[in-house]
Amino acid sequence: MPDTSRANWADDEEFDDPTVLPQQQVISNPDGTKTIITYRFNDANKKIKTTRKIRTTVVKEHVNPRVAERKEWPKFGAEKGHVRGPDLSTTSVGENIIFRPSSNWKSSNKEENKEEDSLRDQLKDKKVACRICKGDHFTARCPFKDTLPPLDDVGASGGGGGGDGGNGAEDVGGLGMTKGSYVAPHLRGKKGAGETMGGGFKDRDDLATLRVTNVSEFAEENDLRDMFERFGRVTRVFLAKDRETGRAKGFAFISFADRGDAQRACEKMEGFGYGHLILRVEFAKKSA
Amino acid sequence: MRPILLQGHERSLTQIKYNRDGDLLFSTAKDHVVCAWYSVNGERLGTYNGHQGALWTVDIDPTSTLLATGAADNTIKIWNVQTGKSLKTWDFPTAVKRVEFSEDGTLLLAVTEQRMGHLGTVVVFPIIVDVNAAQADAPLFTITFRESKATVAAWSYLNKYIITGHEDGTVSQYDGKDGELIQDIQAHEIGGQITDIQMAPDRTYFVTASKDKSAKIMDVDNLKILKTFVTDTPLNTAALTPKKDFVILGGGQEARDVTTTSQRQGKFEARFYHKIFEDEIGRVRGHFGPLNTIAVHPQGTGYASGAEDGYVRVHHFDKPYFDFSYEVERMKA
């Protein structure tokens, strides 16, 4: 009967076994630092060598003895028996606040207000016209909003709605539709609310938009903007990001103000190396 | 700077105080406990339990041995800072709105409320700064206010004067030995209740905060108004910063109006003013209720603010704060 407990000669430790890690090495450098080399396996079962250079410095801090004594006080009251260190239920760290005192704080703050004011001024010139009675107030404030249908609709529906007051009120109640019954958005005429909204959105997307793919997941919108702004005015940069991780998904849309610029950018940036990846740039296809 | 948020209270803060070394922070709120915190990391050291009503005020003696609190249960309590045990209780006919130890810790003044036929008073107790000593039962003397009640009071240098701030906006100076009235002046607008008085580190001047939307720096000796800081909101508190010549003001919409205004409008920010030039130099936001109390670290390295929202925010100033100075200040240096 052969002796099975005897180690196989092939398992002899003198051979270089790939599953065994070399010993940690500590080297003292002449400049007072220490170099520590350690080995470990990573998740992919690959050997990793880590070299750390460490300098030890002694920092002396003078603490008020009274303060030091109070630090050792046992806790009491509601905190009685609790261990040292801040408790998350009572202590938390807030958002970082940037506080820079400045002698012209007031004037800089006023400028901010000025911007707001100028916006208000712009809006002031806009004439507000009520859609129901054409008065100079918002439709929502119209005194007739519960009793009259909007003026345009009255014209469109002809004699049908405008004839008697009772019918008009009913029309307004039915989602503002003059026909009385609900009309699905895609069945509405050109003037339907849904159609105009969609139209406005598509206008922006027009022809000067590039689709950039194979973007590094660490990309930032600003980096992309910087890269593409060389070719002309960029009106919009959209970088698709994962909602949970916040990392880029790998594609982006860049809209240029001018199609010529977009054309140039498309040619130049196709195959451009960004991050560790090669960008692919093409004109965005119109979404269906 | 990243503020540390302290959530030890369930109701609005009424006063916070640093001890003289600045390592401990004490906070009182309208719930019935006093909290003690380490100011450096916001760790809670403990609570002082025993009051039956809302707490209005807290102060710590200069050696961090005794803590005094005044509450709406008509009492002042003296506590052992280290153990949280109550050592002495004084009863009053009305609520206690403010307590303060004198510079040397041997006297304690207390402002009591005017209510139910009782006139507002300031009472002064002798204090023995020792946890084992029996404190006196009777006050040394009492100042009674026949006209407008006092809301706040503070000791001057060497316990020479007691400075009181009143509901009608006047500031009075009393003799610190016997409570004789020396003078009073209408420092703030009539009816602009004085909500806070905080002494400078050397107690030769002080800053007042008032509901009339202004804060003033006044001289302790002659009550001369040295500086005026005008804001756009009623003020609840004002503090002087050592090391830098700043004043921190806190206030905001009245608590009862908070729900009807937006946070932006509420002006719930700590406002920094330059003490000498009276200019506003910056604001620190963060609270979502009016600021009720601000305390500055005695070494000027940070400040803490307590608000109606029940939070204490402890700020440690960073470099830009210490670097900031006016052109003329730099020229002088």
Side-chain angles (χ1 to χ4, degrees), chain B residues 136-330:
Chain B
D137 287 316
L140 280 180
F141 59 87
T142 303
I143 305 165
T144 309
F145 305 106
R146 311 237 162 258
E147 286 172 17
S148 178
K149 69 170 185 189
T151 49
V152 286
W155 289 101
S156 80
Y157 61 92
L158 303 174
N159 313 342
K160 196 171 175 190
Y161 308 115
I162 292 171
I163 306 292
T164 56
H166 295 257
E167 199 179 22
D168 63 354
T170 56
V171 172
S172 308
Q173 185 188 44
Y174 290 86
D175 192 307
K177 301 280 178 297
D178 50 19
E180 287 297 314
L181 176 68
I182 299 170
Q183 58 169 318
D184 54 8
I185 68 159
Q186 186 74 43
H188 286 274
E189 275 171 36
I190 296 169
Q193 183 193 332
I194 293 177
T195 47
D196 199 9
I197 285 185
Q198 292 199 18
M199 284 283 167
D202 63 1
R203 293 184 187 252
T204 56
Y205 62 95
F206 58 91
V207 62
T208 62
S210 165
K211 289 281 183 203
D212 74 357
K213 304 185 179 181
S214 71
K216 293 187 181 190
I217 287 185
M218 297 171 77
D219 190 282
V220 157
D221 284 311
N222 50 21
L223 297 190
K224 208 176 125 198
I225 295 169
L226 305 173
K227 298 287 173 191
T228 303
F229 308 94
V230 180
T231 68
D232 55 357
T233 181
L235 293 177
N236 292 333
T237 179
L240 296 156
T241 59
K243 194 170 257 183
K244 301 294 286 184
D245 285 330
F246 299 153
V247 176
I248 313 177
L249 308 180
Q253 219 93 52
E254 288 278 349
R256 61 171 177 268
D257 300 330
V258 163
T259 51
T260 57
T261 47
S262 81
Q263 196 185 346
R264 206 184 139 83
Q265 264 186 326
K267 311 186 172 93
F268 309 137
E269 294 153 320
R271 297 131 187 275
F272 284 70
Y273 280 72
H274 197 280
K275 188 165 78 183
I276 315 295
F277 301 117
E278 304 178 346
D279 282 338
E280 185 160 7
I281 52 168
R283 288 186 187 181
V284 172
R285 61 179 78 204
H287 282 292
F288 43 95
L291 274 73
N292 285 341
T293 173
I294 288 176
V296 180
H297 192 286
Q299 273 84 53
T301 56
Y303 82 98
S305 55
E308 197 74 18
D309 60 16
Y311 284 96
V312 178
R313 294 171 74 93
V314 183
H315 306 74
H316 295 276
F317 293 128
D318 45 18
K319 201 158 172 296
Y321 171 86
F322 297 105
D323 287 347
F324 171 75
S325 56
Y326 273 74
E327 197 89 8
V328 285
E329 288 178 295
R330 262 174 267 149

Side-chain angles (χ1 to χ4, degrees), chain A residues 70 78-79 85 90-92 94 97, chain B residues 1 3 5 7 21 38 42 47:
Chain A
R70 282 196 284 267
E79 293 281 325
T90 54
T91 308
S92 57
I97 294 174
Chain B
M1 55 187 179
L5 275 69
Q7 295 148 283
D21 294 322
Y38 289 111
T47 57

